[in-house]
Structure formats: C-alpha cells, structure tokens
Amino acid sequence: MLTAKRFLEIGNSPIVEAMHQVAVLKAAGRDIISLAAGEPDFNTPEHIANAGKEAINAGKTKYTCESGLLALRKAICGKFKRDNNLFYTSEQVIASSGGKQIITNALIATLNPSEEAIIPAPYWTSYPNMVRINYGVPVIVKCSAENNFKLTPKQLEAALTNKTKLLFINSPGNPSGAVYTENELAALGEVVTSHPTLVVLADDVYEHTVYDQKFITPAQINSKLYERTITMNSVSKSYSMTGWRIGFAGGPEDIIQTMHKIQAQTTMHPSTISQHAAIAALTGPQTFVHQAQVIFKERRDLVCSLLNMIDGIECAIPQGAFYAYPSVGRLLGKYTPQGKTLQNDRDVMEYFLNEADVATVYGEAFGLSPYLRISYATSTELLTEACRRIDEACKKLK
Ligand code: PLP
C-alpha cells in the first residue's frame, strides 16, 4: 500500500459518480434527463467571455502574483463592499482556482492535525473529505427538516470541544436551499465568539440565488464575527463560469496571507486568462445575475409544485440555490415492478434512473436521509418531463 493511509476512508464523490453513470447510459443510447449536476445551464455572459478572449489576444497569458492580479483583488474588495457591505484590504483577499481551492487553502491554513470541523448536514458532499484530506476530523451535525435544515445555537454548543477549529456555514445551502436569517446568524455568532479558537468558513457561492428573503453573510453580523470569519465565494454559479475556475475569499489577514503562502507552493495562481474574465464579471454590469435569479425562481416554483403533486414525495420550498431536496421517506418499503424493495434513498435514486431515465443524487451523500437532491438548473421543459416520468415510476410501485 503506497498511498497515504488517510485516503483509505475517502471515497469518490457521489455527484461525480452520478455524472459518470449518466454519461455511460447516454453513450449507450438512453434518453436520460440529468438533474444531478450543480451547474447553471446558461452560457457565460458575452462581455465576460470577451474579456477572456481579449486577454489571450493581448498576450496576457503569463504568470501573475500568487495571490492573483492586483486588479482582480481590488475587484474582489469592490464586490464585497458593493454586495455585502464588507471592507477588506487587498492583503485580506485572495483568488484561487475555483471555490474548491479556496476551501482547500483555508483548511490547510487553519487546521492542525486532529482538529475538528463542524459540518451541518445536509452538506455539500465535498466538505467532509476535504477536511479528512487536510488531517482534520469532520463533526457532522444533522439539521432536520423541522428546523428547515439549519443549525441551531444549541446544536452548535453541543458539538463544541477543545479540538473544534472550524464551522462551515453554507447559505444558501447545497443541497437544502436553506438560507440563514440575520437573527439566526447572530445567535450562532454568539456561540462562535464565546469559543476561543473557532473560525467560521462562510461558503457564499449561491449568494445571488436567494428568493424570498435577504442574503446576509456571517462577517456582516458584527466586528467580533468578522474577525473570525473567512468569507468565500466564486464566480462559478453567479456568472455561469464553472469551467473558468475562479474562487475568492476575504478574511483575517493572517489566515489569508497563509493561504497565499500555500498557493505559492502549490498552484501559484489561477489561470491568468480567467482572472481577466473574473475582473469583467465582478466589475461589469450585473444584469445577468438578476436575470438568472428570476429564471431560477420560476423553475423552483415549477419543480416544487410538480414534485408535491406526486404521491410519496414531499418537497419543502427551498429559499435559495438551485436545488430541491424532497423527502422520499414515504416511498421506502414499497416494491418495484421488478420485485425489489426500496430500502433507502440510494435505492430510490437507482429506481428513478433505471425506470424513469431521470438522474438525481441520493440524500445519504449529503449526510441526511431519506431525500433526493434535484438540481433545477435546467430548462422548464426538461423539468416538467422529468417530474412526469418520476410520477409514472412512483405509480408503478406497490
Ligand atoms: N461550495 C458549494 C456549496 C458548492 O456547491 C460548490 C460547487 O458545487 C462549491 C463550493 C465549489 O464551487 P467552484 O469550485 O466551482 O467555485
């Protein structure tokens, strides 16, 4: 065994596995509707793509400083000020290759071996393994549908130990779509700041997809929480730029400078071409962001009402992101036409894939069952057809 031991307990990403499965079935000629991927279906806005092309044409294709171009860091500071009323200097921000690398850098920068990171479930599937890869211990706290999939101060307090170092707050949340209110964040903040070493990793990548309430990020709550929070974000979801790989963060200068150090020895900096495109995204017209939010809201309303009409499925209305997280609890124990009993949400996912040609992701992958994650980042026609197929498949269950 030549691989490091900690990788023995680290499996492959269930979302990536679901996407591979879809690709294989499609290649075999099956008409699969995929509601598995967390990716906006729009093209990158033209003015942003053009900024990338212009960078290539102008020869802006060389190394930049490890923390990103100063112009990009200034654009990030401007974005935090404009959208979040947060003030960071250019030494307090960093750009990396996607939000994923920002989170990885933040974990390397903060976690000592065996320190704990609290992860409210349901969570984005990558968090626990990212923590394990970086020698930390994920502490999963299940947040029930009764509390709208949100962490309560009482739960946070109960999870704290003298090894706790990090708390993940992902609002709007993937996969639940839960959005924390100002009061909820303030109450959690009281617990955070009463602990001597707790740092909040605020994952705001779905910031611009919030429907019926105001978006607020933990660092905005008060100066004590600001000093303890790494606010991370990315252009991936907001500007439909998943492939450009630009993420960014603002936070306490010592942590951000450590993240710079890590990046200098690993990837150096995100793609120079993408950095130029990200400057255009963050400083240019924000019309696309608002238009996408309106479209996602229409899709949310459609998919939730169609899902709630299906016997056996119950879907709470998500307040943000572009996922529905319906309970499939009432389908468990039923028999498929092939005589198999549906025992858990993975069985339900597989049944819908095989019987209805609809790909979803099972709740266990997000740490809370029995649910399915349904991405509605696809057209209303496909969403309507997918729900019709799921309904038909449910009707075949005994
Ligand atoms: N955080 C959450 C909650 C996500 O869902 C994702 C992507 O799916 C990311 C972070 C990472 O985004 P990216 O690396 O594309 O910027």
Side-chain angles (χ1 to χ4, degrees), residues 289-315:
V289 170
H290 304 300
Q291 285 167 345
Q293 196 256 13
V294 171
I295 294 170
F296 281 134
K297 187 172 191 285
E298 278 169 18
R299 293 175 179 178
R300 175 203 66 170
D301 293 344
L302 173 77
V303 84
C304 291
S305 76
L306 290 175
L307 287 170
N308 277 324
M309 281 193 258
I310 301 173
D311 193 18
I313 294 187
E314 285 155 285
C315 186

Side-chain angles (χ1 to χ4, degrees), residues 37-160:
E39 177 164 63
D41 53 323
F42 315 115
N43 286 337
T44 301
E46 210 175 332
H47 71 282
I48 301 175
N50 283 341
K53 290 180 201 165
E54 281 158 21
I56 297 175
N57 293 340
K60 295 175 179 170
T61 52
K62 302 285 199 282
Y63 287 134
T64 70
C65 136
E66 83 279 1
S67 39
L69 290 160
L70 181 60
L72 175 56
R73 280 183 289 136
K74 284 191 172 160
I76 293 167
C77 295
K79 174 261 171 284
F80 278 128
K81 196 166 152 218
R82 178 190 65 212
D83 298 341
N84 314 109
N85 201 27
L86 284 176
F87 295 85
Y88 291 117
T89 64
S90 47
E91 277 68 49
Q92 282 182 282
V93 298
I94 180 169
S96 298
S97 302
K100 235 177 189 173
Q101 197 199 357
I102 286 285
I103 298 173
T104 303
N105 285 346
L107 294 175
I108 303 173
T110 52
L111 285 177
N112 293 302
S114 307
E115 282 185 336
E116 296 169 356
I118 298 176
I119 305 177
Y123 48 72
W124 180 40
T125 49
S126 290
Y127 292 152
N129 281 342
M130 286 169 122
V131 169
R132 289 187 189 104
I133 287 171
N134 292 298
Y135 301 95
V137 178
V139 174
I140 310 299
V141 180
K142 295 200 184 218
C143 303
S144 65
E146 289 68 48
N147 200 40
N148 301 315
F149 303 110
K150 291 190 252 187
L151 181 74
T152 65
K154 223 174 167 179
Q155 285 179 304
L156 175 57
E157 243 176 293
L160 292 177

